[in-house]
Each structure stands twice: as C-alpha cells, then as structure tokens.
Amino acid sequence: MSGTLDVIVRMVLTLALAMASASMLVWVERRLLAAFQDRYGPNRVGPFGLLQLVADSIKLFTKEDWTPPFADRVPFILAPTIIVATGLLSFAVVPFTAAGALVDLNIGVLYFLALSSLSVYSIMLAGMASNSKYSLLGAVRAAGQMISYELAMGLSVASVVALAGSFNLREIVAAQEGLPYVVLQPVAFLIFLIAGLAESKRSPFDLPEAENEIVAGYHTEYSSMKFAFFFLGEYLALVLFSSIATALFLGGGNGPWLPTIVWFAIKMAAIIYVFIWVRATFPRVRYDRLMAFGWKILVPVAILNLLVTGALVVARSAGG
Amino acid sequence: MTVLFYASAAVATVASLLAVTRTQALHALLYLVLALFAVALCFLSLGAPFLAALEVIVYAGAIMVLILFVMMMLNLGPESWARERHLLPRHAWLVPAIMASALVLLTLFAVLSAPQQATQAASVGPKAVGVALFSTYLIGVELASVLLLVGLVGAYYLGAKK
C-alpha cells in the first residue's frame, strides 16, 4: 500500500513541478527578453512582477470560452488537450532524481519520441477543425516543420543510444558518469537543440504562428482556457526538451557536491536560457529555407554523425 | 496483462469499424489512429514494448500524420460528406458484411480449436529485436530497404519531371 502511495506522491510531484515550471517560464521569458532588449518587462504585479502569472491566469479564466459555430466541435475541443497530455505524459521517463524516472522504462527514449510525434496531431486538428484559413495555414506550416525536424532529432538521439547501448534514460545518464555526451557528440547535441527549437515552434522557427502573416496560426480561433492550453503546451515542450537534452547530453543529474535534482535543474535552466537567448537574437527564418535547412543540411549531417558513431562503437567493441 | 490485451483488442476492433463507416474523412482518420494505438497496446501486453513504440512512432506518428497533411490540402467540406454517404448506401454493406463475418467465424473456430498454450510473459527488449532482424530476418530487412529505395527513386523521378 505504501508503495502505491509513494508512486502517487511522486506522480503528483512530477506533474506539479512540470506545470509550475512551465507556467513560471512565461514570466521568466518575458523578463529575460526585456533584459535582452534593454526594457523592464512585466514588473508591476507583486515583487519583481512574480505574480504576473496569477494576473494572466485570472484574465484567461474569466474570458469567454468560445467555440466558433463553423468549427468541427469534437476535434476542436480535443486539440488543445492533446498537446498538454502528450507533454505531461512525457515527463514520466525523465530521470530527475538519483532514483531515476517515475517509470524506469526500457524504451524511454522511444517513448519520448513517440509522444513528441503525437503532439503534431494537436496542431493539425486545431488547424483543420477551426475551419479558418489562417488556422489551416498555420497548421500546414507547423505539421511540415515538425515532421521534418523530428527525423533529424531521432537520428541525433540514435547516436547517443548507440554510444550508451540502451534506450533507457537512466542507463544513458549512468553511462555519462565520467564524461557527458556533449563532449563526445557535439554535433548530435547541436542538431538536437535545433530540432528541439523547431519542434516546440519557437523563434526563429515560429512560422506556424507568425503574427504578421497569419494572425496567430493554428490557434487563431481559440480563446480563454483552450488557448491557455496551447500556451501551456508550448512551454511544457520547452521544459521537456531541455530536460531530455540534459539527460541525453549533459549527464543528467551527475555532478559534485549538490544533490542530483539540483544539478538537473541547473543544467535544464542553462538550456532554457539558451533557447530564450536564441529567440531574442535571431529573426524568423523564411519557410522554404527552414525546410531546405532541415532536409538538406540537418538530416544528412545527422546521418553522417550516426554512421561515424556506429563505426566507432563497432570498432571499439571489436578491439577490446 | 490479459485484461489489457482483450480491452485494447476490443477498442481496436470497434475503432477500425468506425474508421470504415464514418463519412467525414477527418473523423475516420482519427478512429484509425485510435485503432493503431490499441494495436500498439496489444503488442505491449504481449511483451513487445519495442514494437509497440515503433507502431506509435511510425504508423500513428508519421504515416497517419502525412495522410492528415494531404487531407488538409483537399478542403473537404459538407459536400464531400454527402458524396461519401451517397457512395456507400445501406445495401452496399451487405455482401462485405457477410464475407467479413464468415471470416470472423472461421478465425474464431481456428483459435478455439487450436491446442491451448500458456502465453509466455517474457518481454523482448530492443536489443533482441535488433539481433533477430539482422541475423535471422536479414534478407527480409534488405528486401524491404530495396523496396523503400525504389519508392524513393520513383518519388524523385515524379517530383523532378516538371
């Protein structure tokens, strides 16, 4: 019985932490962007504007929750829940603590890839069910970009899996005890980060919601809490990608003196900082260039990287 | 695990039926995705987690998404649903239904008359699958890759034509 209780407590804690950090990121990102652009950012509500989140939630809660009469009702309502559900489910395999992840899944990496490929449905359903041209255009862009970059991401992850010899995230972290894989696999790390930016539809790859061309893209017709779900889903994706990158390339919670979870949080925060920094630095890419970059540069480089890694792994195991 | 298997098998069957009978293409496709999920769960309950994950990644996460992608471009509206309904009147279902139920009865008979074996609960890991694919089933893997290459070259030819 106590085992069940323990599992439930850990589940609730993981979900609460994921949700809390995703929502806090809204404020963090706005403040950081402001700092990058020499402004103050939101600093009125509470100390340092920390309660901005509360104000935003009250605003979103009290807005009219509207389903357009021309929308396909069920998929329209289903779409925002899918993105949050896939995001939260993925956290089950992230090894935050020394004890490992919530579920010590043998195919943890594949589980993460499967859920991230399913999150595309949320965007496509939103775009199709909205029955609006801006939503549709946004969804077509988002789907094209996510399918393309998923490939590069999978290939970059595969080279880490080849090195560690396991799909289990806990074992991958354990294999980096002495040396994090970012040193051995710098190319894969870079590809993973770029693909992560594209998968979470963040600037400079935020064409699906390019406001000066297609209003707000796939969530144009959404309001109130349904819109908030898309918002939350995007920040959850950001937290998720940074945590997976930490586990795959930065050695997870490995580190001296501090407890595992603190090291994990520090490494995650560093990656999130880079993501926000990139957003403040780079302008939006043109869509054809985005696709060309994904297919003609990122995928071939990832394949080459995987080939070399595989050859080295085989040579090493044959040599000794 | 047995409960999980039968529950997901039931979901797979119902979802597949609904995928065939829906007249709105989007809804049919969503039911098909659900059916693929249920089949993945069947694999999982039979001790093949690697196959289950690949089922979701490849079928639900890639192939179905591409079909949905094409559907987005087609702009299917109420007219197309009406046309679809017109294409499939009640009596059109009669012969396929008889044939399918005969098949179901035959399969049931075959399953029930076969000697009962205890299902082994051993889970097959990714490594074992990889080893099997590249030793016992090597020819199959190579043939499949040649087939994919043919498809790739064909697509390139069609795309480069104009």
Side-chain angles (χ1 to χ4, degrees):
Chain A
M1 198 59 217
S2 68
T4 321
L5 195 71
D6 186 49
V7 168
I8 291 172
V9 166
R10 281 175 62 192
M11 265 160 82
V12 171
L13 262 180
T14 310
L15 288 187
L17 270 177
M19 294 281 267
S21 48
S23 0
M24 273 319 286
L25 267 184
V26 182
W27 174 78
V28 171
E29 172 153 42
R30 286 179 67 187
R31 286 291 296 212
L32 271 177
L33 280 180
F36 281 125
Q37 295 160 353
D38 210 9
R39 304 183 276 120
Y40 283 121
N43 64 351
R44 298 289 99 181
V45 199
F48 308 106
L50 266 169
L51 297 178
Q52 183 68 39
L53 173 68
V54 181
D56 283 348
S57 329
I58 292 172
K59 186 190 84 176
L60 282 168
F61 264 120
T62 50
K63 270 195 171 180
E64 186 188 356
D65 189 19
W66 192 61
T67 306
F70 46 81
D72 191 351
R73 219 183 137 73
V74 177
F76 186 82
I77 296 170
L78 206 61
T81 55
I82 292 176
I83 193 166
V84 174
T86 53
L88 286 178
L89 280 172
S90 309
F91 281 100
V93 291
V94 179
F96 287 113
T97 57
L102 208 54
V103 188
D104 193 24
L105 204 60
N106 254 333
I107 48 161
V109 174
L110 290 175
Y111 175 84
F112 155 71
L113 285 175
L115 281 174
S116 94
S117 69
L118 287 179
S119 66
V120 186
Y121 279 109
S122 170
I123 281 93
M124 296 181 95
L125 286 182
M128 282 188 86
S130 293
N131 246 329
S132 133
K133 38 179 147 340
Y134 298 117
S135 302
L136 190 70
L137 281 172
V140 168
R141 285 182 177 188
Q145 139 180 0
M146 286 170 88
I147 297 168
S148 309
Y149 279 76
E150 219 160 69
L151 207 61
M153 173 178 276
L155 286 168
S156 70
V157 170
S159 47
V160 167
V161 171
L163 267 188
S166 170
F167 282 109
N168 189 327
L169 278 166
R170 182 180 50 79
E171 285 171 19
I172 291 176
V173 169
Q176 302 173 66
E177 193 61 69
L179 194 65
Y181 282 156
V182 65
V183 183
L184 295 173
Q185 289 285 346
V187 181
F189 181 61
L190 208 62
I191 293 171
F192 187 85
L193 281 193
I194 296 173
L197 277 177
E199 285 275 301
S200 51
K201 301 174 288 301
R202 290 181 56 83
S203 183
F205 303 131
D206 59 345
L207 288 116
E209 32 201 302
E211 52 283 74
N212 46 4
E213 300 164 26
I214 48 173
V215 193
Y218 56 90
H219 53 55
T220 302
E221 304 294 336
Y222 284 85
S223 67
S224 186
M225 280 318 282
K226 293 203 208 76
F227 169 74
F229 261 46
F230 279 117
F231 211 60
L232 179 67
E234 275 172 35
Y235 280 99
L236 274 176
L238 178 60
V239 177
L240 181 69
F241 280 117
S242 58
S243 60
I244 295 284
T246 304
L248 287 179
F249 294 100
L250 300 185
N254 293 345
W257 307 306
L258 296 170
T260 313
I261 193 160
V262 177
W263 268 115
F264 204 98
I266 291 172
K267 290 169 181 174
M268 256 175 82
I271 294 180
I272 291 174
Y273 181 81
V274 170
F275 271 33
I276 296 173
W277 191 4
V278 165
R279 174 171 173 183
T281 310
F282 290 106
R284 199 173 279 146
V285 195
R286 218 172 63 200
Y287 196 69
D288 58 328
R289 293 210 178 146
L290 168 90
M291 293 308 259
F293 179 70
W295 284 104
K296 293 182 181 165
I297 298 176
L298 227 46
V299 171
V301 170
I303 291 178
L304 214 63
N305 186 53
L306 179 59
L307 209 66
V308 173
T309 309
L312 287 177
V313 167
V314 169
R316 200 177 53 184
S317 66
Chain B
M1 275 313 194
T2 323
V3 178
L4 179 67
F5 174 78
Y6 283 112
S8 41
V11 170
T13 316
V14 174
S16 311
L17 275 176
L18 284 169
V20 178
T21 53
R22 294 302 90 184
T23 48
Q24 293 193 30
L26 176 62
H27 295 180
L29 187 120
L30 286 179
Y31 279 116
L32 192 53
V33 172
L34 184 63
L36 290 169
F37 262 127
V39 171
L41 272 178
C42 285
F43 286 147
L44 190 71
S45 65
L46 291 176
F50 185 66
L51 200 56
L54 285 193
E55 169 98 11
V56 174
I57 293 176
V58 175
Y59 286 96
I63 295 178
M64 286 297 127
V65 168
L66 287 179
I67 295 178
L68 193 56
F69 197 77
V70 174
M71 268 168 56
M72 282 169 119
M73 310 285 188
L74 296 178
N75 198 15
L76 300 166
E79 316 89 70
S80 77
W81 307 337
R83 203 166 50 236
E84 193 78 14
R85 216 168 286 132
H86 185 70
L87 275 177
L88 291 172
R90 280 275 148 69
H91 59 83
W93 292 102
L94 193 63
V95 179
I98 292 171
M99 280 156 69
S101 37
L103 201 63
V104 168
L105 283 178
L106 274 177
T107 317
L108 268 180
F109 178 72
V111 169
L112 291 177
S113 62
Q116 298 288 320
Q117 295 172 314
T119 46
Q120 59 270 59
S123 172
V124 181
K127 207 169 240 170
V129 176
V131 169
L133 277 180
F134 285 96
S135 58
T136 322
Y137 303 107
L138 185 61
I139 293 178
V141 172
E142 289 300 326
L143 282 178
S145 67
V146 168
L147 196 65
L148 284 174
L149 187 65
V150 170
L152 199 65
V153 172
Y156 179 76
Y157 176 72
L158 289 176
K161 200 94 190 270
K162 49 174 178 162

